[in-house]
Amino acid sequence: MKYEAQIEAAAEHFKKLLSEQLERVDRINAAGDAVDYTKKDQIVIGICGGDGIGPTITAAAQTVLTDMLSEEVKKGKIVFKVIDGLTIENRVEHMKAIPDDVLAELKSCDVILKGPTTTPRAGDPWPNIESANVAMRKELDLYANVRPVSVPEKGIDWTFFRENTEGGYAVGSKGIHVTEDLGMDFVVTTTEGTNRIARLAFEYARANGKNRVSIVTKANVIKTTDGKFLRLCEEMAKEYPEITTDEWFIDIMTAKLVDEKRRRDFKVFILPNLYGDIITDEAAEFQGGVGTAGSANIGKRYAMFEAIHGSAPRMVKEGRAQYADPCSMLRATVLLLSHIGYQAESDKLARALDICMFEEKKLTITGRDTGCTCAEFSQYVMDTLKSL
Ligand code: IPM
Ligand code: MG
């Protein structure tokens, strides 16, 4: 048979992927309940700067967070742990998305505030190692990527629940070049992987009085995996009869987000990984760009909070890192505070950010010396917090 050896090699590789994924399914099924942080005597917050503008904006968020939780730090309830080594240089040196010692440090924390990290792509000067984000989401099983976007004056109040460990990302760096002319990647959907993100989204909607949940897939084309995702979400919707659940394809939903008459109706979204990745950048643009949006990566044992944008190496190269916008990391801090049970502090920081970013706007960040610096902006946020 023509290509017999190539098909054989690809089948062997595929077998390995199948057994890895089936083991992962077993691990998900065996996972216990989610941690209740309010019942813990001590919460360890890891601070991981990342690369590019990451250390600058993460330091700004850490300063604000330390200031807000100073009493809790004194009591020993909150402990900060700075984790170095998640830089592209160190990752390349170890040829690992996350070097082992850095991973061990991350696992010794409860929650992590993480700056952006550089993701090499084909053609970059770096070897093509896996994204540190994607690796961390997998290693810590952070299955839900929760991304809020709010523009009050436009009536936009959206919360995206992006599945974070499956879809095109599960084996995104393990596709197969079957021959020189044929490359194949794989998409993964599991029952429990879908149920847990759907459960989190519906429970969030119920607890927060959000009366609509929209499931977004491309189940008309990607029939097996998106079809399964859609069917399981629809099944779960039956347990929430007070919530209107509707179903959209990703292409038309992308269009509807710019439809000023319709988009106000949307509240909560559930999406497979890649669609969630794409549409949350679009959504963040209405709020002032990806620099203004934070994201929560939530698992049962760990949680990680980050900006939704990249490490902006160009800003560093052009000597502009000190002008980087810390708002995405500060929004991530809002999510972190809420997740570990400091809801009042979370609300206060969100309010201060609304004042500084949208209402009072005494200082503006432009990413260059035409605006204020990152440190000046975070000081402005801290001064505003004191006045609340
Ligand atoms: C995000 C980012 C990452 C993703 C990249 C950096 C791998 O775009 O967090 O949205 O695709 O998930
Ligand atoms: Mg993205």
Side-chain angles (χ1 to χ4, degrees):
M1 187 179 46
K2 207 177 168 194
Y3 300 124
E4 190 170 346
Q6 288 95 328
I7 292 173
E8 200 51 48
E12 273 310 309
H13 181 92
F14 188 53
K15 266 192 194 167
K16 243 189 260 146
L17 296 185
L18 291 178
S19 86
E20 275 171 26
Q21 288 304 307
L22 288 167
E23 278 164 24
R24 193 175 66 82
V25 171
D26 289 344
R27 280 200 302 277
I28 301 179
N29 288 335
D33 290 338
V35 185
D36 182 351
Y37 293 99
T38 57
K39 298 215 170 77
K40 291 196 78 147
D41 296 334
Q42 187 171 74
I43 300 172
V44 180
I45 305 179
I47 305 281
C48 192
D51 314 297
I53 59 168
T56 308
I57 60 177
T58 308
Q62 187 191 357
T63 308
V64 174
L65 191 59
T66 311
D67 194 49
M68 292 191 84
L69 295 178
S70 60
E71 285 305 309
E72 303 301 294
V73 173
K74 268 188 223 143
K75 280 195 262 167
K77 165 95 202 232
I78 297 282
V79 174
F80 288 105
K81 185 167 190 177
V82 175
I83 301 174
D84 294 320
L86 205 64
T87 58
I88 185 73
E89 292 80 8
N90 194 41
R91 289 158 55 216
V92 165
E93 195 184 315
H94 291 85
M95 278 310 280
K96 280 210 152 159
I98 305 177
D100 294 343
D101 55 337
V102 178
L103 185 60
E105 290 263 49
L106 292 168
K107 286 189 171 172
S108 70
C109 302
D110 293 291
V111 295
I112 297 147
L113 185 64
K114 179 187 124 332
T117 48
T118 299
T119 301
R121 61 164 170 232
D124 278 353
W126 309 108
N128 206 8
I129 50 176
E130 187 181 35
S131 143
N133 283 27
V134 173
M136 201 184 296
R137 292 167 187 166
K138 283 184 197 161
E139 289 286 352
L140 306 182
D141 201 19
L142 307 173
Y143 67 88
N145 197 319
V146 185
R147 299 185 161 184
V149 167
S150 136
V151 191
E153 71 274 18
K154 291 188 179 152
I156 293 175
D157 181 16
W158 299 327
T159 311
F160 295 87
F161 284 79
R162 161 187 177 190
E163 199 294 315
N164 213 21
T165 48
E166 304 196 340
Y169 283 63
V171 288
S173 52
K174 295 183 179 170
I176 309 179
H177 289 290
V178 181
T179 66
E180 213 165 279
D181 298 326
L182 175 65
M184 290 187 78
D185 272 313
F186 304 98
V187 181
V188 176
T189 295
T190 69
T191 304
E192 191 43 33
T194 307
N195 281 339
R196 59 187 184 173
I197 183 78
R199 180 67 71 201
L200 201 72
F202 278 110
E203 283 297 311
Y204 168 84
R206 175 172 277 172
N208 291 279
K210 312 267 180 192
N211 57 6
R212 179 177 294 266
V213 170
S214 305
I215 308 161
V216 187
T217 67
K218 188 74 187 176
N220 51 342
V221 177
I222 314 295
K223 292 185 194 292
T224 305
T225 45
D226 277 11
K228 181 178 175 69
F229 190 94
L230 173 59
R231 183 174 55 74
L232 291 169
C233 291
E234 282 183 327
E235 197 53 42
M236 191 168 291
K238 293 183 189 150
E239 294 177 40
Y240 300 83
E242 80 279 18
I243 296 171
T244 305
T245 301
D246 49 21
E247 183 238 305
W248 295 80
F249 294 133
I250 181 66
D251 48 354
I252 188 64
M253 180 52 91
T254 308
K256 284 296 143 199
L257 290 195
V258 282
D259 178 341
E260 289 183 7
K261 284 194 262 350
R262 295 296 301 282
R263 67 181 177 190
R264 299 157 179 261
D265 299 338
F266 300 122
K267 299 276 181 321
V268 173
F269 302 78
I270 313 177
L271 321 91
N273 210 337
L274 183 59
Y275 311 138
D277 174 48
I278 296 167
I279 212 168
T280 51
D281 272 17
E282 183 197 13
E285 199 63 27
F286 300 125
Q287 182 185 271
V290 289
T292 64
S295 124
N297 295 264
I298 295 176
K300 296 210 164 155
R301 165 74 185 83
Y302 299 103
M304 180 266 280
F305 301 83
E306 62 178 346
I308 79 165
H309 57 77
S311 57
R314 200 167 60 198
M315 284 190 76
V316 180
K317 218 160 80 205
E318 292 171 5
R320 294 188 283 120
Q322 73 271 32
Y323 296 105
D325 188 345
C327 289
S328 55
M329 289 305 289
L330 291 170
R331 291 280 175 199
T333 306
V334 169
L335 297 168
L336 184 152
L337 284 165
S338 167
H339 187 74
I340 60 173
Y342 292 93
Q343 192 56 48
E345 287 77 1
S346 169
D347 292 343
K348 215 170 145 189
L349 181 55
R351 182 72 202 110
L353 285 171
D354 283 345
I355 293 172
C356 298
M357 289 166 70
F358 306 125
E359 296 169 22
E360 196 182 74
K361 295 197 259 190
K362 263 202 228 155
L363 295 180
T364 41
I365 283 260
T366 60
R368 359 192 120 247
D369 60 8
T370 51
C372 71
T373 63
C374 174
E376 283 162 353
F377 196 86
S378 44
Q379 188 57 50
Y380 174 32
V381 172
M382 281 196 286
D383 294 343
T384 307
L385 274 169
K386 303 242 151 65
S387 72
L388 288 178

